[in-house]
Amino acid sequence: MSDFPTKARVVIIGGGVVGTSSLYHLAKKGWTDCVLLEKNELTAGSTWHAAGNVPTFSTSWAIMNMQRYSTELYSRLADEVDYPMNYHVSGSIRLAHSKERMQEFERAMSMGRYQGIPMEMWTPEEAKERYPFLEIHDLECVLYDPTDGDIDPAQLTQALAKGARDMGQKIIRFCPATGVTQHKDGTWTVHTDKGDIACDYVVNAAGYYAQRVGEWFKPFGGRTVPAMVMSHQYLLTDEIPEVEAWSKEHGGKLPLLRDVDVSYYLRQEKNGFNLGPYEPNCKGHWMTEDDPMPEDFSFQLWNDDLDRIEDIVTDAMERVPLMATSGVGRVINGPIPYAPDGLPLIGPMPGVQNAFEAHSFTFGIAQGGGAGKVLAEWIVDGATEWDMWAVDPRRYTDYTDQDYCNQKGMEVYGNEYAMHFPHHEWPAARDKKLSPVHDKVKELGGVMGVYNGWERANWFAKPGDDTSLEATHTWGRSGPWEQRIKEECEAVRDHCGVLDLPGFSRFMVRGDGAAEALRGLVTGGLPKVGRINLVYIADDRGRILTEMSCMRLGEDEFVMITAATAQWHDRDILVAAMPAGVSVEDVTTTRDTLIVTGPKSRDILSGLTDADLSLGWLTHQAATVAGQPAYLIRVSFAGELGWEVHALNADMPAIYDAIHNAGATPFGMYALNSLRIEKGYRAWKGDLSTDYSLLEGGLERFVKLDKPQDFPGKAAILNEKQQGVKKAFVTLTVEAGDCDAPYMSCIWQGDQIVGETTSGAWGYRVGKSIALGMVKAELANPGTALEVEIYGQKFPAVVQKDEPLWDPANERLRA
């Protein structure tokens, strides 16, 4: 091939809607010397048989942003690239059968309103007026989204491809990539049967082949891609005269209908219906030795398996009886990739320099436009406009074996439209990572939750407490856990609590030049030897990339401690920033941590340790506890006198037993969340995210603009300081009802949205509902009266002083 490219800035592997969207958006950002490789024809994977629905609805802020952007792009794309497309913006209705579903709809509608999506809540009768074939006898309400609709997936992909080609990009069809090689300078060679392509960056956009492609990156630091493949069926009915007559009369299609409590969508397809169920009795493929993934499944389908969806089809016919008057014209049964949480993987490939991922989309058509934008920003700018942690591949670490992926994929598919209640824990694929005192914690009544694969107690049940999954199906704070959380908080307030906290991400950073490298990375100063402090890392825009506790053991020896979920994210940041001769060692799995905190914690520890418990706040020391070697750190995320006790896994059971036997009350993550929010302590990827700058986040005390090092974001922070912030971090007390404010609840002043909450919880020490959030800077004054919208209701809220609600002078913490 004389025109075969031997060089490119980016090579994208995979020619579905996401791959072509990525190529198109790279070109829009000025990178027009990129190449897309497709093993067959464009759309040959999941794209060609996709139903093509384009919703904006989501209860994930990041996903809603992506899907909203897709609808905006698709509405102009045909004209922009001069390629005709069938894009029907029909609007959609979602049916709610319960109060809880209504609350979910209200939350999504509030988020949509903030993003400019004009969703409406209708009565069942109003829905019947607009959708006359609908049975409404058992409905509570209906959510209407006027921006919803459907698009032809093949036309969309070809339009993106044409737009990319017109800007100079190359697409090579029928050219399978066969492998990759990375060179010492971080650049790549992508191998194909037609020749090699040298490039700076590689993107795995291989859809349900992404795991196979991912294996090529293992020699260069990669891992097995956490994904599996589900069989998804939808059926097309024959034409129905009444549908045709309605369309002619109204000049368009019926709104797309979703009965989410039954778990299906029903869409007008020409003059019939397209029914797409997500059945609990679902089926995965290519998961066993007797069902291997074929080398090429392009443009292929599986045989029909209608028995699996029979109950849902029957229900749909009862909801829209008109459907029962027609026969089934065709059944589509094709592969859809699933990540363990059902969200795609978009962003930097964990552990691999200059490699990115954009795959495992279960709703690739709806998210494809936004995904291309996000990926292009990540590659070209090194950061995305919106915080995209929800889809960042680094959110998964080493617990995602294939058994986990298979179990979670099946669970997510079978609960595609399920409500994600705040106290609900999904049961599939549990106990992947256990603390050394896991059995003891369970014996004491621990009701467990999962944090980056680690099992931690959320709360401690007493005999007779209802610990069933059904009990958690509420948005409210009340439940069997509420009294127990209150008791646990009171134990920490009045005496001493102990929390087993496995999975803290820990990195040993050491070697000549480690201190200077860290000074050039973090925004503030480093602690002295023997001390610990918080440090922040900004991106080039001055936004909050991450927070770490920095513990200094020696002049050039540090332990960096971060959130469990940040393990691979923060590892990659540290590794990229350290020069030759400075090592970064992940020691997360070798140690466990206890939080021992409360006014009696010194008394309890004094009989068990040889440590100097008079050392002040933010110090650390090696000692023995219960005869075992340990490290004691004088900090407390609960905001009381306390220590973190870090010890090797083998030594922790004896330490835990001794502290518990000495009178410490076990407490869980729900209590810790309540305690930390009373202190205004931020949580990573809620309150601390790249949606906000350090100055907006109220973290100026952690920024040293006068230090000589040119740390990331320094110029942007200096500029923002001169210009003034547009948003400011606040603590609000809220006269809430039965529910506390969830993430991204709207904050109102009169009829204007003026900000959003970043977290919320009940504070049992102060007896109030508390929300942390961001508001317009001019409204951040103490005493400002605002309102917080919680599941559709507005509640009065007041801005508090810029200090903790509990123990504002930190006297208890420093005692």
Side-chain angles (χ1 to χ4, degrees):
M1 286 179 67
S2 58
D3 60 344
F4 184 84
T6 57
K7 285 186 178 180
R9 193 175 285 189
V10 182
V11 171
I12 298 169
I13 300 170
V17 66
V18 174
T20 54
S21 177
S22 300
L23 191 71
Y24 174 80
H25 283 89
L26 283 167
K28 294 288 280 187
K29 292 187 74 67
W31 285 27
T32 57
D33 50 350
C34 305
V35 171
L36 182 147
L37 301 174
E38 166 53 44
K39 71 189 298 181
N40 196 284
E41 180 58 89
L42 295 183
T43 78
S46 293
T47 300
W48 81 273
H49 63 76
N53 299 333
V54 188
T56 59
F57 179 98
S58 179
T59 52
S60 161
W61 185 253
I63 294 294
M64 182 178 276
N65 261 321
M66 277 206 314
Q67 294 180 169
R68 172 186 53 78
Y69 174 84
S70 291
T71 63
E72 293 167 356
L73 172 67
Y74 300 167
S75 66
R76 66 176 189 267
L77 186 64
D79 291 335
E80 197 170 282
V81 303
D82 191 24
Y83 191 95
M85 288 190 298
N86 290 314
Y87 181 30
H88 308 107
V89 184
S90 59
S92 72
I93 57 176
R94 284 175 188 259
L95 312 183
H97 295 247
S98 66
K99 177 194 169 202
E100 288 76 22
R101 186 65 80 174
M102 283 178 65
Q103 289 175 290
E104 181 201 47
F105 286 179
E106 291 280 9
R107 169 159 164 65
M109 188 169 71
S110 172
M111 290 166 58
R113 185 186 295 118
Y114 200 140
Q115 291 195 19
I117 305 167
M119 297 181 185
E120 302 172 23
M121 199 71 85
W122 288 350
T123 65
E125 289 73 24
E126 288 172 321
K128 178 82 170 176
E129 289 174 17
R130 294 160 173 84
Y131 199 116
F133 311 119
L134 182 70
E135 292 296 314
I136 61 171
H137 59 282
D138 56 348
L139 301 180
E140 290 280 345
C141 74
V142 173
L143 179 68
Y144 175 64
D145 178 0
T147 66
D148 207 334
D150 64 271
I151 197 167
D152 184 299
Q155 291 176 342
L156 170 61
T157 305
Q158 295 295 344
L160 290 164
K162 180 179 185 297
R165 286 190 186 105
D166 288 348
M167 289 183 278
Q169 308 283 52
K170 283 191 165 55
I171 295 174
I172 308 176
R173 299 168 301 134
F174 303 102
C175 182
T178 56
V180 296
T181 300
Q182 189 169 43
H183 309 290
K184 287 183 179 179
D185 63 356
T187 62
W188 294 91
T189 297
V190 178
H191 309 292
T192 82
D193 290 338
K194 297 181 179 180
D196 290 347
I197 306 175
C199 60
D200 298 324
Y201 303 95
V202 181
V203 178
N204 179 357
Y208 53 73
Y209 291 106
Q211 192 175 77
R212 183 172 285 170
V213 170
E215 296 298 299
W216 303 342
F217 294 87
K218 279 187 173 179
F220 313 107
R223 86 301 185 211
T224 299
V225 168
M228 56 85 68
V229 176
M230 290 298 300
S231 154
H232 177 58
Q233 297 183 98
Y234 62 89
L235 58 88
L236 305 172
T237 72
D238 296 327
E239 296 205 351
I240 300 171
E242 291 87 342
V243 172
E244 183 179 13
W246 190 95
S247 289
K248 284 181 178 176
E249 181 184 348
H250 293 85
K253 296 172 74 171
L254 285 162
L256 200 158
L257 182 153
R258 290 183 183 85
D259 196 335
V260 288
D261 289 313
V262 180
S263 195
Y264 66 86
Y265 67 81
L266 185 67
R267 186 185 92 204
Q268 182 178 339
E269 184 75 26
K270 297 181 179 175
N271 291 317
F273 285 114
N274 173 335
L275 173 67
Y278 290 92
E279 69 280 11
N281 178 32
C282 54
K283 181 178 177 61
H285 264 293
W286 305 333
M287 300 194 307
T288 57
E289 289 185 6
D290 61 350
D291 181 26
M293 176 183 275
E295 194 58 39
D296 190 352
F297 200 68
S298 299
F299 296 112
Q300 295 183 56
L301 297 171
W302 291 303
N303 292 330
D304 307 349
D305 189 5
L306 294 178
D307 289 347
R308 286 204 330 253
I309 61 175
E310 182 179 0
D311 290 348
I312 293 179
V313 173
T314 300
D315 197 287
M317 289 177 172
E318 292 172 354
R319 179 65 55 198
V320 181
L322 189 62
M323 186 187 165
T325 66
S326 174
V328 174
R330 191 180 177 201
V331 178
I332 308 293
N333 182 12
I336 303 287
Y338 266 74
D341 61 3
L343 303 183
L345 276 66
I346 317 172
M349 187 181 294
V352 186
Q353 183 185 4
N354 298 335
F356 291 82
E357 297 185 303
H359 57 71
S360 302
F361 286 79
T362 64
F363 297 101
I365 306 305
Q367 295 162 7
K373 165 189 154 62
V374 165
L375 187 77
E377 290 169 347
W378 235 316
I379 295 173
V380 176
D381 304 328
T384 52
E385 177 185 354
W386 319 302
D387 189 281
M388 296 306 297
W389 179 244
V391 299
D392 193 313
R394 296 168 293 184
R395 72 190 186 272
Y396 295 116
T397 62
D398 56 355
Y399 62 96
T400 56
D401 58 21
Q402 199 57 50
D403 171 71
Y404 176 88
C405 295
N406 292 345
Q407 287 194 51
K408 295 304 287 186
M410 300 272 283
E411 181 179 64
V412 170
Y413 182 97
N415 295 277
E416 189 65 66
Y417 294 122
M419 292 175 274
H420 293 266
F421 297 110
H423 296 98
H424 180 76
E425 292 283 341
W426 293 96
R430 296 295 294 270
D431 293 351
K432 288 294 179 182
K433 300 180 88 167
L434 302 181
S435 143
V437 296
H438 176 79
D439 291 344
K440 180 67 175 181
V441 168
K442 292 267 289 185
E443 180 189 316
L444 293 171
V447 181
M448 311 305 285
V450 187
Y451 299 82
N452 192 34
W454 292 94
E455 297 284 331
R456 294 177 180 172
N458 281 329
W459 61 287
F460 283 84
K462 293 185 177 176
D465 287 347
D466 184 356
T467 59
S468 68
L469 288 176
E470 290 72 23
T472 66
H473 292 175
T474 174
W475 301 108
R477 83 176 66 86
S478 66
W481 51 83
E482 186 181 20
Q483 179 61 24
R484 303 295 169 243
I485 298 170
K486 180 174 183 288
E487 292 164 359
E488 291 168 25
C489 290
E490 289 170 348
V492 171
R493 180 194 69 191
D494 299 335
H495 192 263
C496 178
V498 58
L499 170 62
D500 178 43
L501 203 66
F504 251 151
S505 302
R506 294 179 189 81
F507 305 95
M508 296 289 304
V509 179
R510 52 194 159 195
D512 291 344
E516 187 57 28
L518 285 171
R519 287 190 196 100
L521 177 64
V522 306
T523 60
L526 301 179
K528 295 176 181 177
V529 175
R531 295 190 65 81
I532 184 172
N533 60 246
L534 281 178
V535 296
Y536 288 86
I537 299 171
D539 65 16
D540 290 339
R541 304 165 298 179
R543 298 193 190 182
I544 305 165
L545 193 58
T546 196
E547 170 196 78
M548 302 187 187
S549 294
C550 178
M551 189 166 84
R552 194 166 192 171
L553 305 179
E555 201 56 39
D556 272 320
E557 186 175 8
F558 301 85
V559 181
M560 309 299 288
I561 305 171
T562 76
T565 50
Q567 184 182 0
W568 283 7
H569 177 278
D570 286 3
R571 174 202 66 186
D572 286 0
I573 292 172
L574 289 170
V575 168
M578 293 304 115
V582 176
S583 64
V584 177
E585 181 187 1
D586 188 337
V587 295
T588 299
T589 58
T590 63
R591 291 164 173 79
D592 191 23
T593 303
L594 304 180
I595 293 179
V596 183
T597 186
K600 299 297 184 185
S601 55
R602 181 179 281 119
D603 296 343
I604 282 180
L605 284 172
S606 64
L608 303 172
T609 183
D610 59 0
D612 180 358
L613 298 179
S614 68
L615 287 183
W617 189 38
L618 302 180
T619 60
H620 60 86
Q621 59 187 304
T624 61
V625 181
Q628 310 300 317
Y631 237 92
L632 266 70
I633 307 175
R634 179 80 192 276
V635 292
S636 173
F637 200 50
E640 300 283 354
L641 171 68
W643 285 262
E644 286 179 6
V645 180
H646 295 244
L648 292 169
N649 291 333
D651 300 326
M652 192 56 91
I655 297 172
Y656 186 88
D657 283 346
I659 292 171
H660 178 248
N661 292 338
T665 299
F667 70 104
M669 297 299 291
Y670 292 163
L672 183 65
N673 188 52
S674 169
L675 296 162
R676 70 95 188 168
I677 209 167
E678 290 173 310
K679 294 293 293 181
Y681 294 159
R682 279 71 152 173
W684 191 65
K685 287 307 179 191
D687 315 300
L688 303 171
S689 83
T690 57
D691 283 332
Y692 310 113
S693 72
L694 270 86
L695 299 186
E696 288 174 334
L699 301 171
E700 187 171 355
R701 66 189 183 279
F702 297 100
V703 179
K704 290 180 69 172
L705 290 170
D706 58 349
K707 71 177 184 176
Q709 293 81 11
D710 187 24
F711 57 84
K714 186 175 184 178
I717 294 171
L718 186 59
N719 181 62
E720 187 181 23
K721 187 171 172 60
Q722 292 167 346
Q723 300 291 326
V725 296
K726 296 186 172 120
K727 282 183 168 184
F729 179 86
V730 292
T731 299
L732 302 166
T733 56
V734 188
E735 294 177 32
D738 299 331
C739 308
D740 300 307
Y743 175 65
M744 285 294 171
S745 297
C746 289
I747 300 174
W748 294 79
Q749 186 183 50
D751 60 357
Q752 296 292 314
I753 296 174
V754 295
E756 67 277 358
T757 63
T758 54
S759 58
W762 187 266
Y764 289 93
R765 289 177 298 194
V766 301
K768 292 176 179 172
S769 184
I770 305 164
L772 307 183
M774 291 284 179
V775 298
K776 291 182 178 179
E778 63 270 22
L779 300 176
N781 301 313
T784 301
L786 301 168
E787 290 180 296
V788 174
E789 183 177 354
I790 303 175
Y791 301 114
Q793 279 188 274
K794 293 181 185 176
F795 295 93
V798 177
V799 176
Q800 303 299 301
K801 289 182 183 177
D802 186 18
E803 63 184 22
L805 292 176
W806 176 253
D807 186 27
N810 290 327
E811 293 168 356
R812 296 169 69 94
L813 203 59
R814 301 173 186 266

